[in-house]
Amino acid sequence: MSGAALGIEIVVVFFLALFLLHRYADFRKQQRMVLFGTLLAWYLCFLIVFILPLDISTTIYKQCKIDHEEHASVSPVTPLISNQTAGNSTTVCYKPWSYIPDGIMPVFWRVVYWTSQCLTWLLLPFMQSYARSGGFSITGKIKTALIENAIYYGTYLLIFGSLLIYVAVHPQWHLSWYELQTIGITAANTWGLFLLVLLLGYGLVEIPRSYWNASRQGHLLIKTYFKAAKLMTEKADAEENLEDVMEEVRKVQESIKYNHPLRKYIDTILRKCPVEYQEKMGRNMDDYEDFDDKQNTYPSEKNLVKLHKQVIYAVQRHNRTHVQWQILLQQAMHLEDVAKNETSSAHQFVHSFPSTEPTSWLSPYLYTPTVEWYWECLLRQWFYRLLAVLLSLFSVGVVWSECTFFSTRPVLSLFAVFIQLAERDYNYLYIEMACFITIFFLCTCVYSTVFRIRVFNYYYLASHHQTDAYSLQFSGMLFCRLTPPLCLNFLGLIHMDSAISHQLKEQTAYTSIMGSMRVLSFIANGFYIYYPMLILLLCIATYFSLGTRCLNLLGFQQFVGDNEMTSDLIDEGKELIRREKRKRQRTEDGENRRREWKERYGNTREDTASNRNRNEAAEMTETNYSDTVPIPNTNPNRRKHVPGRYLSMSSSRSRIFDDV
């Protein structure tokens, strides 16, 4: 099994990152460069989270071997180191099932870490500006990206230079490549830890509270009404913004005709517009006029680049708000259905409207209306409450450990206590599962906060393939900056980072690539130890919703229960949902009437049409027969039939309308 666990996790993590990227990005419309950069950033961060427990168990096994060697050097009896039991008198070091051979993990961590750092500090900012640029050529986009990132890179050089000068003037230190590398890693981890504590303090409280509120159907429905009112305002603003931008595009494309040198840029802009606007502009377009015939003022290429950027943003925002409105409308209707079905005595869940989401072929057999009623109306709320309680206990343990992890004697960190107890029995599976669950919980608190960040619609991660390129790459940058300090902080919680625990123990391969933080003692002994205690204050502020109340006072509409504006938005959202339900009901009634009309009169029309076709076929057959077979003239007064003439032109008046 040596190295097999590592290979399996590498493959599994790749598909996990690909699945999440598919949920938030649109593979058909996004640029390949954007998708590749974001996928690589997410993949590397998830690798660190999943592989670190294997590194910890392997390090514990190595420490066991070192302890046995030291004991053997002072004891006449040499203990046995093997995979089998050696009796009661001898202590055995068991090799973990996921043991990774020497030399693999240092190389693996070095590749993963430095690749992620190059992505987050160099490539992704450049790719972000490149994708957001409205240039029409690759050269123009590269130029714009370099100009936008000049200040960005200059700030990093200033910070790194300051730390470099601090080390250079220290009389006891001699600069080497190893120390320069450590300074760079320390600067990156310090920035990441600063942001990590802020996000973690919010997520430790908000995630358990979100599950507890999800168990309260009434509260969840009211909050959905509030979101509907806010989203409708944003949706109307997006539609108005799109109309304004399309009006500017119309004016520009009417002024620049087919033989103008800038016409190719106009065609590029038009291809980014919605189809209905393209058709409207195409109908009103007269490209037969020569641009030299009139003395018009034409926009410059710089103005067209700016317009191109506005079109991309306006179209993406309009599509995103439209999809979000449909999703939120479906959620509100479902919650109203749950409220109605709670009082049902039949224990059968009844939907007001059929679900628009695709279902698998097993759903009608497994997720029956009875099962759905018991889950939605009875079991779900209790499951969420139990999950909220467990997550709350986990959050309390994290806060306590963050405030006491610097104490090694006695050991106060709860996670360090659990790992050390399992280490005595060499229960590697428990160690790996405990480490993975803890790291996964910390990452969930941090990453969920990242996914909820929304800064004036400039950065926003939206599911159902509605996230733009800028937001995707920004999330990749944050992941790469937050994951290494998060894992380093976790190693400090379990006392496996010697820079914090000050213990002479075997270091993990992950810690070895970070270098010795003693090069910058004021960071290792000060900032890394005492700054995480700020989580306690942030958790208290989040519990009492101080940030939400401050934003509400500043004019940003937030969900605050005892606020008049919140009540008005709830009423407005309820009315919007009612209006949409009436509109959907009218549409459904119209479809039902058309279906009933087709079922009632469709067969009669089909029979009439078939009889008509049959009569016409018979008439044509009779005509053809009369044209080929001679008819005997028994009546001398009857006009002789002329071949090739229709029967309707004969002397018989009773057959004059037979061909109708």
Side-chain angles (χ1 to χ4, degrees):
M1 290 295 291
S2 296
L6 179 63
I8 293 173
E9 290 198 3
I10 288 175
V11 175
V12 171
V13 169
F14 174 78
F15 286 104
L16 175 62
L18 188 64
F19 169 76
L20 289 177
L21 183 63
H22 177 264
R23 177 177 175 82
Y24 286 91
D26 191 346
F27 285 178
R28 295 175 298 177
K29 297 181 180 179
Q30 296 285 2
Q31 299 178 6
R32 297 295 179 266
M33 180 183 64
V34 173
L35 295 175
F36 176 76
T38 307
L39 177 62
L40 183 59
W42 290 11
Y43 176 54
L44 294 176
C45 295
F46 294 163
L47 272 181
I48 298 176
V49 173
F50 278 81
I51 305 300
L52 186 60
L54 305 184
D55 190 10
I56 292 174
S57 62
T58 302
T59 304
I60 292 176
Y61 173 70
K62 293 179 180 179
Q63 182 64 40
C64 177
K65 292 172 61 177
I66 293 174
D67 294 341
H68 276 75
E69 291 174 358
E70 293 178 354
H71 180 69
S73 61
V74 297
S75 175
V77 181
T78 303
L80 179 65
I81 302 177
S82 65
N83 293 330
Q84 311 217 349
T85 18
N88 298 330
S89 61
T90 308
T91 307
V92 180
C93 288
Y94 295 97
K95 181 182 291 187
W97 69 278
S98 58
Y99 176 75
I100 301 175
D102 296 339
I104 295 180
M105 289 309 299
V107 176
F108 175 82
W109 286 130
R110 194 171 290 111
V111 172
V112 170
Y113 179 78
W114 288 112
T115 304
S116 64
Q117 294 306 300
C118 289
L119 278 174
T120 185
W121 299 107
L122 297 176
L123 296 180
L124 283 180
F126 176 81
M127 294 166 60
Q128 195 177 27
S129 301
Y130 181 89
R132 189 179 53 180
S133 173
F136 300 100
S137 62
I138 297 178
T139 306
K141 291 184 177 182
I142 292 177
K143 182 179 178 181
T144 303
L146 290 176
I147 294 175
E148 289 184 358
N149 287 277
I151 301 177
Y152 187 76
Y153 296 139
T155 305
Y156 294 151
L157 290 176
L158 179 62
I159 296 175
F160 182 77
S162 302
L163 294 175
L164 190 64
I165 294 174
Y166 173 80
V167 176
V169 299
H170 202 282
Q172 299 178 354
W173 293 339
H174 301 283
L175 288 178
S176 63
W177 170 249
Y178 175 78
E179 292 176 347
L180 288 175
Q181 177 181 339
T182 304
I183 292 174
I185 295 175
T186 303
N189 288 337
T190 302
W191 190 95
L193 184 64
F194 176 79
L195 184 59
L196 174 68
V197 171
L198 299 179
L199 299 177
L200 189 60
Y202 176 83
L204 288 173
V205 176
E206 192 60 30
I207 288 183
R209 183 161 58 186
S210 64
Y211 279 102
W212 182 265
N213 291 334
S215 66
R216 302 161 56 192
Q217 298 290 347
H219 177 272
L220 196 59
L221 182 59
I222 291 175
K223 192 171 184 179
T224 305
Y225 290 149
F226 177 83
K227 291 180 180 179
K230 289 188 61 177
L231 185 59
M232 177 54 72
T233 303
E234 181 184 351
K235 183 171 176 288
D237 186 31
E239 292 175 353
E240 183 179 354
N241 183 32
L242 181 63
E243 290 285 347
D244 295 340
V245 174
M246 291 299 106
E247 181 64 21
E248 294 183 12
V249 173
R250 185 190 63 80
K251 293 179 180 178
V252 171
Q253 68 97 20
E254 287 181 355
S255 62
I256 299 179
K257 301 303 179 181
Y258 70 100
N259 52 354
H260 196 282
L262 298 178
R263 182 62 194 183
K264 56 182 180 180
Y265 301 146
I266 298 298
D267 295 336
T268 303
I269 295 175
L270 289 176
R271 284 194 293 267
K272 302 295 179 62
C273 299
V275 178
E276 57 270 18
Y277 288 98
Q278 293 183 21
E279 295 176 352
K280 187 185 301 183
M281 294 177 189
R283 288 193 300 266
N284 298 332
M285 183 65 183
D286 185 10
D287 264 350
Y288 294 101
E289 299 180 9
D290 206 350
F291 76 94
D292 290 330
D293 293 340
K294 297 181 180 180
Q295 299 297 327
N296 296 331
T297 56
Y298 302 105
S300 61
E301 183 177 351
K302 185 177 181 180
N303 293 333
L304 292 180
V305 169
K306 183 179 179 181
L307 181 61
H308 186 204
K309 186 176 180 180
Q310 292 176 352
V311 168
I312 295 174
Y313 175 74
V315 172
Q316 200 279 331
R317 184 187 175 193
H318 174 265
N319 295 336
R320 187 192 71 217
T321 53
H322 178 74
V323 173
Q324 287 178 334
W325 173 252
Q326 297 299 327
I327 296 172
L328 188 63
L329 181 63
Q330 194 71 24
Q331 293 176 356
M333 292 182 180
H334 177 71
L335 292 174
E336 290 181 348
D337 291 341
V338 171
K340 293 178 181 178
N341 283 273
E342 284 180 347
T343 58
S344 174
S345 59
H347 295 180
Q348 298 281 331
F349 198 90
V350 180
H351 293 272
S352 300
F353 300 96
S355 177
T356 57
E357 298 181 359
T359 57
S360 62
W361 62 275
L362 288 175
S363 297
Y365 302 100
L366 299 179
Y367 199 59
T368 61
T370 303
V371 174
E372 186 176 4
W373 186 90
Y374 277 102
W375 168 250
E376 295 290 346
C377 302
L378 188 62
L379 298 178
R380 185 173 187 172
Q381 54 185 350
W382 291 105
F383 173 76
Y384 279 173
R385 289 175 185 176
L386 178 61
L387 184 60
V389 171
L390 294 177
L391 293 177
S392 300
L393 295 177
F394 219 120
S395 297
V396 172
V398 171
V399 174
W400 171 263
S401 300
E402 290 286 357
C403 295
T404 59
F405 73 95
F406 58 88
S407 175
T408 56
R409 294 183 180 179
V411 179
L412 299 179
S413 174
L414 297 179
F415 301 104
V417 172
F418 296 151
I419 297 300
Q420 290 177 7
L421 289 176
E423 184 179 351
R424 295 175 184 175
D425 299 330
Y426 302 105
N427 193 345
Y428 296 111
L429 182 61
Y430 170 80
I431 292 173
E432 292 174 2
M433 292 302 299
C435 292
F436 174 75
I437 292 174
T438 306
I439 297 175
F440 181 77
F441 177 73
L442 295 176
C443 291
T444 302
C445 295
V446 175
Y447 293 167
S448 64
T449 308
V450 171
F451 278 82
R452 293 181 184 182
I453 291 177
R454 184 175 181 178
V455 186
F456 304 110
N457 293 324
Y458 195 63
Y459 163 74
Y460 184 44
L461 283 175
S463 58
H464 296 80
H465 322 290
Q466 297 301 314
T467 306
D468 60 344
Y470 181 85
S471 299
L472 284 174
Q473 293 176 331
F474 188 72
S475 66
M477 290 168 53
L478 283 182
F479 285 0
C480 291
R481 297 178 189 181
L482 293 174
T483 304
L486 184 146
C487 293
L488 198 62
N489 177 258
F490 171 74
L491 292 175
L493 293 180
I494 61 176
H495 293 174
M496 295 196 70
D497 185 3
S498 61
I500 296 176
S501 62
H502 303 288
Q503 296 177 348
L504 297 178
K505 296 177 62 177
E506 180 72 13
Q507 296 297 301
T508 61
Y510 181 80
T511 310
S512 64
I513 68 164
M514 294 294 178
S516 176
M517 297 301 173
R518 294 184 179 89
V519 175
L520 300 175
S521 58
F522 72 95
I523 293 181
N525 299 327
F527 184 80
Y528 279 2
I529 293 178
Y530 297 106
Y531 179 71
M533 297 181 184
L534 186 62
I535 289 181
L536 179 61
L537 298 178
L538 294 173
C539 289
I540 295 175
T542 305
Y543 179 79
F544 291 103
S545 303
L546 296 182
T548 301
R549 297 181 184 275
C550 291
L551 290 175
N552 192 59
L553 291 176
L554 293 176
F556 299 97
Q557 299 171 350
Q558 302 293 320
F559 184 76
V560 181
D562 53 350
N563 187 271
E564 183 178 356
M565 182 180 297
T566 303
S567 301
D568 295 339
L569 288 175
I570 291 173
D571 295 337
E572 181 182 350
K574 187 182 299 184
E575 183 60 32
L576 289 172
I577 298 299
R578 289 177 183 174
R579 188 183 307 166
E580 291 293 333
K581 289 181 69 174
R582 289 195 296 266
K583 186 187 301 183
R584 182 172 294 188
Q585 186 66 46
R586 288 194 299 268
T587 304
E588 187 175 348
D589 292 342
E591 293 178 356
N592 293 334
R593 284 194 297 268
R594 284 191 294 270
R595 191 181 304 112
E596 292 177 359
W597 180 271
K598 184 177 180 180
E599 292 176 355
R600 181 178 301 177
Y601 300 103
N603 296 331
T604 306
R605 291 183 176 181
E606 292 176 359
D607 294 341
T608 305
S610 61
N611 292 334
R612 184 184 302 117
N613 295 334
R614 193 179 301 112
N615 293 334
E616 291 178 357
E619 295 294 338
M620 293 300 296
T621 304
E622 185 177 354
T623 302
N624 296 335
Y625 181 77
S626 62
D627 291 341
T628 55
V629 180
I631 302 175
N633 190 2
T634 56
N635 188 356
N637 298 326
R638 182 176 179 180
R639 185 174 55 184
K640 186 177 180 180
H641 175 70
V642 180
R645 299 185 64 182
Y646 289 100
L647 294 178
S648 59
M649 299 178 62
S650 62
S651 58
S652 175
R653 297 182 181 271
S654 61
R655 301 178 62 85
I656 190 171
F657 295 110
D658 287 349
D659 59 341
V660 178

